Amino acid sequence: MSLTFDNKVALVTGAGRGIGRAIADSLGKAGVTVICVSYSESSCGAAAQAIVDAGGKAVAKAVDVSDVTSVAKASEELLDEYENVDILVNNAGITKDSLLFRMTEEDWTSVIDTNLNSCFYWVKGLARPMTRKRWGRIINISSVSGIMGNAGQTNYAAAKAGMIGFTKSLAKELAGRNITVNCVAPGFIKTDMTAKMAEAALDKVLPMIPLKRMGESSDIANMVAYLASEEANYITGQVFTVDGGMAM
Ligand code: NAP
């Protein structure tokens, strides 16, 4: 089945690497104009250039998503240029793992700011024109950690569970304006984020995955592309785990 996107503009955070890059690539291939956001200019620049080189439309914007002022300024600039961002994918995220008694306040706050508060900032910045257009897609990338919990990740699991509550509440608020809001909760996906995991930790995780392997960024991108398309117009307030069966 081919997916339908009519002249849509998408903003993908964390588009410089990993899952966000795969999401940006797949939307770019589908003809969507993609605004690639990441922390560093070089990483979102390379992502946008790759989409353009493949014949698509993309621009790069370096924004610290954990900073409310930067997100508000970027949102204003983008709405001046594009009038409307139709598809918002809140994907940027970080981990700063440690057991609670060793976790610093900085590690707690930066993970909540980057993963959860950023969603609030971007929706505040970009959703109002969606309500006027009576069309919008908001897709938040959560995690199985937010569903199952994970020792060493109280900060991350709290942020990712918070994204689920945020998604369901926002879906109820925006449904009357034909804006859908959904979460995708990846399991263990091969990216820079999981490359930092120790071999021993990975050996513990693999037996917990019924499909017995880690996922690819494209597995998440495929689900996001579907949720962003016209074809998903009757789906809202849901959490889709893409995790090889881990959280069933
Ligand atoms: P990744 O490879 O580490 O890439 C993270 C991306 O987020 C990078 O492009 C990075 O920008 C961007 N980013 C981080 N902090 C930022 C900030 N303050 N402002 C702007 N951009 C920022 O991560 P990933 O594995 O693809 O993960 C993507 C999302 O999926 C995250 O929300 C993560 O929690 C979630 N997830 C991942 C897994 C997994 O197994 N990989 C599992 C469950 C959920 P730069 O490129 O400029 O550094």
Side-chain angles (χ1 to χ4, degrees), residues 14-20 38-40 43 63-66 91-94 114-115 141-143 156 160 186-189 191-194:
R17 291 183 280 127
I19 292 171
S38 71
Y39 188 82
S40 82
S43 108
V63 185
D64 178 358
V65 302
S66 69
N91 163 81
I94 55 165
T114 307
N115 293 274
I141 307 301
S142 176
S143 167
Y156 183 75
K160 294 303 189 184
F188 280 84
I189 309 297
T191 68
D192 293 350
M193 186 178 270
T194 43

Side-chain angles (χ1 to χ4, degrees), residues 88-99:
L88 166 63
V89 184
N90 283 308
N91 163 81
I94 55 165
T95 51
K96 289 198 177 171
D97 297 353
S98 63
L99 294 172

Side-chain angles (χ1 to χ4, degrees), residues 37 39 66 76 79 84 108 121 123 146 153 156 173 187-188 228 233 242:
V37 169
Y39 188 82
S66 69
E76 256 178 53
L79 290 178
N84 197 55
W108 173 269
Y121 304 153
V123 170
Q153 289 196 317
Y156 183 75
E173 289 188 20
F188 280 84
N233 64 14
V242 180

Side-chain angles (χ1 to χ4, degrees), residues 213-228:
R213 57 185 163 80
M214 292 177 78
E216 305 290 336
S217 292
S218 57
D219 295 323
I220 309 304
N222 291 339
M223 175 58 86
V224 171
Y226 174 66
L227 290 172

